[in-house]
Structure formats: C-alpha cells, structure tokens
Amino acid sequence: MLKNHDVDISGLEIVEGEKTFSYGCVYRDDMNIRDTLFTDLNVFEKFDPVIPTEMRKSPFLLLGNIMPALQLKVLDQMTDLKFSVCDTMNLWIDITREDLLKVIKRVSLLVINDSEAKMLADESNLIKAAKKVMEMGPEYLIVKKGEHGALLFGEGKIFSAPAYPLETVFDPTGAGDSFAGGFTGYLAQMDSIDFETMKKAVIYGSTLASFCVGKFSTKGIENKTKEEIENRFNEFIALSRV
Amino acid sequence: MLKNHDVDISGLEIVEGEKTFSYGCVYRDDMNIRDTLFTDLNVFEKFDPVIPTEMRKSPFLLLGNIMPALQLKVLDQMTDLKFSVCDTMNLWIDITREDLLKVIKRVSLLVINDSEAKMLADESNLIKAAKKVMEMGPEYLIVKKGEHGALLFGEGKIFSAPAYPLETVFDPTGAGDSFAGGFTGYLAQMDSIDFETMKKAVIYGSTLASFCVGKFSTKGIENKTKEEIENRFNEFIALSRV
C-alpha cells in the first residue's frame, strides 16, 4: 500500500520472528476519550532505530508516538533539521516523563491532545496548561481537542481551528497520526514557515484526520485524491469564516 | 444597577414576601460540567407572567431559562414577533419535556449546551443530535460548548465559533444568559437577519460570556464599555481567521 503511494520505505526495518507492537483501548460513547486496556511494546522493546544516511539530511522530521528514548535516538541522527514535530501520548507522560521532557526541549513543535496537555502541565485550565508546556521548550504547540477542533500556540499568538462536523465517527484510531502527518506534510512543501502557514497546516492536518475517522484503519485516507482534500480544506475554512 | 444602564424595567414584577428562585450547583474541575444540587422554584412556582401592553409588540424576544410552561405564557402574549430565542436547561428537558417541545416548535432559535442537545435528542454524536433537535421545530440552533466555543446551525449551514482563551474562569454562572443576551441584543439592532448576521451575533454573545465568567455574578459585564466589547469581538474574529 505504501509503495503504491510512492512512499519511500527504504528506511523501513522488518525484524523476523518478533511480535508487532500492540495496543488495546476502549473508546467512550462520545469517542473523545479512550481508556487504555494494554500496551505491549513487543518488537519496540529492543528496537534501535537507524536512519539511512541520505534521510539524515531531511529538513523535516515527524517523531511519531513512541517511547521518548527512541525519539531521542532519531533526533540524534538528524543533521540538517529545519522543523521537527513530536507526537506523544499519556503513557509516556506517565512512565517516561524525564525522557519526554528532553525530546520536547529539542523539537520545533509538540502535538498532544487536551487531556495530555493538562496532565503534562498538571493544570486543569487548558490555556494555562498550554503556556506551561510552551515553557518546557517547544517553539510551537498544537493541542488537539477531538470533536472540538485544535488550538495552535506560538509567537505569542493563538489560532483556534474548528472540527469538521462529522455525523459518524467510525474509528478514531489513527486520527492523531493523520493530523500530524497532514500538518507536517503541508509544511514540508512550503518555502517559509510562519504562524500563517502553520494555521493552514493545522487545517490540512484536521482534514486528513476527518477522513481517517470515517473508516476503519487507514481505509479512510489511503485513496483520497488531492481534489477531495482541497474540497474538505475549503469546507473547513468556510466553517469558521465571519 | 439595571436602571443605571437605561434598561426598561417597567415589566419587572416584585412579589412581596416570597422567596426568590434558588439554584445550587457544583462546577467540576474543568468548569465545563456542573452538577445540580437543588432547584427551588419558590416565587416562580405560582408566577403568571404578564407582559406590559407596549412590550407585547416587541419584534424580538429572548425567553430566559425558566419552566417551559411560563415561556409558553410569554409567547402567547407576543403579537408581532420577528425573531424569538429560547434558552433552557437539563432540568426542563428531564421533567417538563412535553412543554419544552411545544416552546421549541414555536421559536426561531433554540440555544442549549452540548450535553443538553445530546440529552434532548437522545443521541451521543453532537452533529446528529443537533439535526434531530432542528427537526423538533426551531429554524436555528446554537449549541454552546463552554471552553470549546459554540456551533450555529441553520439554512443547511454550520458555523463554528471559537472560545476566548481564558486562563481564569472565576464563575461560569450566567455565561449562558450573557451569551443569549449578547446574541439577541446584537440581532435586535440589525435590519436584516440572515446566517451571516447571526454568525456575528454568536461572536458578540461569546464576547459577553467571556467577560461574564471573569468575575463573580454580573460584575464581569455590567461596566464594560462599547470599546472593550468591540476590541474583544475583534480578538475573537482574529482567533480563527485563516
């Protein structure tokens, strides 16, 4: 599937005989909160990421949600970073906080959801929590709020992005990854990165996430055309235009 | 205080010797959910609202949150309505649903919060819930989402308004009333009412609500100048502008 989409998978490593990473959760009725049932690291337990030489020069990096110690190993190998994005989750805030703080200090942007922001900052007011997280080091912060959209913080400004009004949320799994991928992918195409560019990137990320949750697994996004993406992007813009 | 603000209180009725309406609740940590402790109707139990003759011709009506049977009595007295707004709460959805449905059928716009919309429609997806509530009769619907802003539905369109990023929510009591008042007050000044006008009215309502929650009781809004209101309105617009 990735090859068919011209994705460069030369850095993909397949370890024989190991169980894949496995994660189980239950979504609550409103699909906004999920309760973790189990997290089995399996193959990730001994994983030592090696970035192919030609990829180390990439100016853009998206650190997917994984153990912060592994994110640090990836960061250490990158030589020409212009903009780096870090995703994480409640588990790492809980059990590997110190490593996570090291990552956060070194990336351009952290993307987390609202409950994680409150947990990381130990603060129940989301705006105060966001300010405290910004003090931990990242230049920019995105707080995802599920069906309530997302907030972008940085340069002393705040941008509030709406959520797409979905009547059916089939499977929220992967929405965060789709968001981070859509966001970073858009930025990587741009010549300059500033707050205005990032606002659009947030809407592109939200666009991808809105497609993702409509079907199971990657089915919602893997065959979307550029036209479909642009159309939904424009619908997003219209949603909050005054 | 009302007289000092040139508010026409000629329709205000004071009943001697009766206890005032009394309501108690506890706000949860995030200030988004409140748990009702008690609702003592007291003076409202036998209240029979009589609208002064000259006020019956008012083209705009805001039915504050009260027993739907009383809202109906007010509606019955109005002769020249152009636009009517109805506020309500979980209590009336729970114990006087039939009366409430009669009110909803007759007003131009219903304003409720997200949990009330889900409760009224018996539907956990907010967008589906909103569609079901629209089928109950009102031409327009506003769903307030506290720290997540508000949604306006009508004319087959949706508008998503951001929330003002407040670091301190001192007292959320009255935020809904401030919203409904700011919303209806703005509309009442306009020559024509359409979806675009209503979008701005939502932002004015949000502006008033954002002032309200900053101080106890009515202290946050009662001395705001037009300039302060316009400034915050513009900040709201900037929050979600792409």
Side-chain angles (χ1 to χ4, degrees), chain A residues 10-29:
Chain A
S10 60
L12 184 70
E13 199 179 323
I14 296 174
V15 183
E16 291 292 334
E18 295 280 351
K19 276 192 183 168
T20 183
F21 169 84
S22 180
Y23 167 79
C25 69
V26 172
Y27 289 96
R28 297 200 191 163
D29 270 357

Side-chain angles (χ1 to χ4, degrees), chain B residues 15-19:
Chain B
V15 183
E16 290 291 334
E18 296 278 353
K19 275 190 185 169

Side-chain angles (χ1 to χ4, degrees), chain A residues 123 125 127-128 131, chain B residues 165-169:
Chain A
E123 166 61 55
N125 176 286
I127 307 302
K128 272 190 192 165
K131 287 205 171 175
Chain B
L166 288 167
E167 287 187 52
T168 308
V169 176

Side-chain angles (χ1 to χ4, degrees), chain A residues 29 118 124-125 127-128 131 145 147-148 158-160 162 165-167 199-200 237 239-242, chain B residues 118 124-125 127-128 131 145 147-148 158-160 162 165-167 199-200 237 239-242:
Chain A
D29 270 357
K118 290 174 181 180
S124 64
N125 176 286
I127 307 302
K128 272 190 192 165
K131 287 205 171 175
K145 307 193 295 173
E147 66 164 342
H148 300 300
I158 302 179
F159 169 60
S160 174
L166 287 167
E167 288 187 51
K199 284 180 179 181
K200 286 185 187 165
I237 299 290
L239 260 179
S240 57
R241 188 190 288 131
V242 181
Chain B
K118 290 175 181 180
S124 65
N125 177 286
I127 306 304
K128 273 190 189 161
K131 287 206 172 174
K145 308 194 294 174
E147 67 164 341
H148 301 300
I158 303 178
F159 169 60
S160 175
L166 288 167
E167 287 187 52
K199 284 179 178 181
K200 286 185 186 165
I237 299 290
L239 260 179
S240 56
R241 187 189 289 131
V242 181

